[in-house]
Structure formats: structure tokens, C-alpha cells
Amino acid sequence: MQALGKQTLAKNAQRFPTAVASRSSVRAMASKAHVCEPKWWTADDVAVVTGANKGLGFECARQLAGEAGFTTIVTARNGDQACLDFHQLDIADKKSIEAFKAWLQQKYGKLNVLVNNAAIAYKGSIFGPQEARITTDINYHGTADVTEALLPLMPTDGRSRVVTVASRAGLSSILKSQELKDRFMNAKGRADVDALVDEWLASVEKGDFSSKGWPGSMYGVSKLAVNAYHKALAKDLESKRIMVNTCCPGYCATDMSSHRGTSTAYDGARIFTWLATKPPQDFESGGFWVYDNTGVKWPM
Ligand code: NDP
């Protein structure tokens, strides 16, 4: 917030009211259960949220900026939002990722918290090879590309976290084949997960995915890949003291759920903020979390 000029703050008042709250009200709000204590970050620490123009990403950015007090950068694939600090970022476009990285490096020089929130889900019974590819390109490849591009900007002093939004729809129980389950659970890194995703896409193309033990959920497979990738990444980054976790916000009323969800976007985003602010002394990485006021680790 320190980095914001008066004009930006005035603009923020409309869309991010908590971001321009007084210092004392920010302090009072910081005691909310989803903002962890003790506070290890300062207003100079930088958080980035992808897909933050609406829904859970928007609420997460509000919480990280207004309630926790990070310098928070909102990213989205379209628009010039009247918000905290904005930069265009289409996670499925490598040029966009590189341009964002260069801007972030030049303007802030580092990144402490990356919230990988952006994703898509086709509505209703839409299913097909093209749609499966688009879903995995954005939800899995795009998320992994952003993470890999931005990791070099993350300090290795215990003050960096990757929080990636997955879903209970992407648990390994969606697979009917034990062999596929084992391969997802034991994936050693991006190459292993890429190979599984390629197999799934080929199977959808051929029409034999069900007999091979795959589910009929494009969104579910994309989030399963997200979970497997981050689990492996967490192991790789443990020695660098970078916490990497995935989570599920529950069924939330946003555009993705056609506003049928039973939780608000604000409540759903609390698990993102909780993981983003987890203190270095509570180091835990490679988990899949859902929110129940204290945070519960679910087995994948
Ligand atoms: P919304 O559809 O409201 O928001 C999704 C966001 O992702 C939008 O900002 C959208 O931008 C953005 N996005 C999509 N594709 C890209 C891209 N290529 N590059 C950058 N941004 C992109 O959904 P939610 O807020 O509900 O979803 C947020 C996260 O929570 C997702 O990861 C979702 O899978 C997950 N989730 C949601 C649940 C729910 O019940 N709502 C349940 C479980 C998980 P644009 O406006 O440009 O489309």
C-alpha cells in the first residue's frame, strides 16, 4: 500500500474499500482468523493474485491488501482495473507472462506471495477434445508456467509462498484406474504431470478415456494435474524454504458456479489468505487444504 499514490488510492476506494482503510482499522481487521499471526510480513512484501478482476481472486486481493496489508498486485487477462496496482496477465499466454515478470522485476524487484487463482470451467455438459485442451492449457499449463516464471523472484528466506487454487473436484479419487492414481500421486515433477495430461487429451480425442480409467471431467483432470504438480514442486522447494500449497475454497457463489455456490467469495478466499500468511515457523508445504476456520489438511 505504501507504493500507491493518492490518485490510485482514491480510485481504490470504490472497488477495494478495505485497501484504503485507516491504519488502525487495518490493524483491527488483521486479527481476523484467516490472517495468520504472528505477522511476519510488512507493507513492502509483495503479493500477486491471478484472475483477480472478479470472484474469489478479487476477494483474495482485497484480503491480502486491506486486511493483511501486503503490497498487492491485481492481475487479469483483460482490462485496466481501478484497483491496487494492476498488470495485464493472461496465464495461457507465454508472452503475457514474460511481460508481467519483467514489469514485476523492474517495479518491485521481488515477489513474496503468489496466489494462482485464475482458471476456467465449461458450463453444463460441454465436453470434447478441444475444450479439454483449452481447460488443461489454462488451468494446469498456464498456472505452472506462471509459477515457474515468477519463482526466481521469490526470496529464499522463509518469506515466500505459492498458494494455488485447486478443487476437491481434482482429488485422485476421480480416477478409476489405480495405476493412474499411483502415477499422479508419485509424479516427480512437471514432465511426469505433462505426460499424464497428454495421455488424458489423447484418450479424449480417441474416445476411450472412460475404459482407461479417466473421469469425464475436464475441470477435474486439470485440477488433479495442478495438485500433482504442486505436490512435487513443494518437495523441490523445501530446501529454499518456499511454502507451496494447494487449496479448495468450497462451493462459492461466483460466475464459475453461476452464483449457485453456498459460500460467499469472501469466505471462500479466506483459505488463500490463511495459506498466504502462514508464519515461517509453521512451515508446511505440499498440502491440499480446505477451510474450516483453522484450516484442515486433506489427503490428496
Ligand atoms: P470466476 O469465473 O469468477 O473467476 C475466474 C477468474 O479466472 C476470472 O478472473 C477469469 O478472468 C480468470 N481467468 C480465466 N482464464 C484466465 C487466463 N487465461 N488468464 C488469466 N485469468 C484467467 O471463478 P471463481 O472466482 O469461482 O474461481 C476462482 C478459483 O477458484 C478457480 O481456480 C476455480 O477453479 C476455483 N474454485 C472455485 C470454486 C467455486 O465454487 N466457485 C470451487 C472450487 C475451486 P476473466 O474475467 O478474464 O474470464
Side-chain angles (χ1 to χ4, degrees):
M1 286 201 319
Q2 280 172 343
L4 300 176
K6 270 190 188 154
Q7 225 181 353
T8 320
L9 282 170
K11 271 189 189 174
N12 289 345
Q14 267 190 328
R15 282 175 64 85
F16 289 85
T18 54
V20 291
S22 69
R23 277 179 191 279
S24 59
S25 65
V26 167
R27 261 198 304 273
M29 284 187 290
S31 66
K32 291 188 178 209
H34 53 288
V35 179
C36 292
E37 286 178 353
K39 184 173 173 178
W40 52 267
W41 63 96
T42 71
D44 291 333
D45 286 321
V46 179
V48 166
V49 185
T50 65
N53 53 316
K54 64 182 184 182
L56 289 148
F58 176 79
E59 290 299 337
C60 177
R62 287 203 332 161
Q63 290 174 17
L64 290 177
E67 298 176 19
F70 281 93
T71 292
T72 304
I73 299 153
V74 168
T75 68
R77 58 180 159 181
N78 291 310
D80 172 17
Q81 316 291 316
C83 59
L84 300 168
D85 199 351
F86 175 80
H87 200 278
Q88 193 275 344
L89 176 61
D90 181 337
I91 67 165
D93 176 350
K94 288 203 166 104
K95 281 194 183 138
S96 168
I97 296 173
E98 280 313 310
F100 174 63
K101 179 189 178 179
W103 173 85
L104 186 65
Q105 188 155 27
Q106 197 267 327
K107 184 160 182 185
Y108 292 99
K110 68 165 183 173
L111 170 65
N112 298 93
V113 171
L114 170 62
V115 180
N116 283 312
N117 164 80
I120 61 150
Y122 283 93
K123 307 252 181 204
S125 57
I126 294 173
F127 184 88
Q130 202 192 342
E131 292 82 0
R133 186 170 293 282
I134 290 170
T135 305
T136 49
D137 276 355
I138 295 176
N139 296 4
Y140 165 62
H141 288 296
T143 299
D145 287 345
V146 169
T147 304
E148 281 164 20
L150 300 185
L151 269 175
L153 302 184
M154 301 187 97
T156 54
D157 58 358
R159 300 163 65 80
S160 299
R161 281 121 191 72
V162 176
V163 178
T164 295
V165 184
S167 169
R168 271 173 284 191
L171 291 176
S172 59
S173 52
I174 63 171
L175 297 165
K176 285 171 277 171
S177 150
Q178 187 59 44
E179 189 233 326
L180 285 176
K181 272 185 201 174
D182 292 343
R183 286 173 61 204
F184 270 104
M185 296 296 288
N186 299 322
K188 296 261 179 300
R190 179 105 188 238
D192 289 351
V193 184
D194 281 2
L196 281 156
V197 166
D198 286 348
E199 252 177 71
W200 145 250
L201 292 173
S203 222
V204 171
E205 185 89 47
K206 238 175 135 188
D208 64 358
F209 64 91
S210 190
S211 65
K212 294 209 159 151
W214 293 99
S217 167
M218 307 182 294
Y219 178 77
V221 172
S222 73
K223 292 293 190 178
L224 175 60
V226 160
N227 269 328
Y229 167 73
H230 285 85
K231 192 163 170 253
L233 183 71
K235 269 205 191 110
D236 288 349
L237 296 177
E238 218 166 88
S239 61
K240 294 190 170 169
R241 299 172 63 212
I242 299 177
M243 272 192 231
V244 179
N245 288 289
T246 60
C247 58
C248 177
Y251 188 37
C252 300
T254 63
D255 284 355
M256 186 175 279
S257 66
S258 303
H259 294 270
R260 286 196 293 258
T262 46
S263 296
T264 62
Y266 179 90
D267 281 342
R270 294 195 301 168
I271 185 71
F272 313 170
T273 302
W274 185 78
L275 286 168
T277 58
K278 218 165 181 303
Q281 57 269 35
D282 292 346
F283 189 94
E284 244 182 303
S285 204
F288 172 69
W289 303 78
V290 291
Y291 199 77
D292 79 340
N293 289 313
T294 54
V296 170
K297 196 173 190 176
W298 279 50
M300 204 181 110

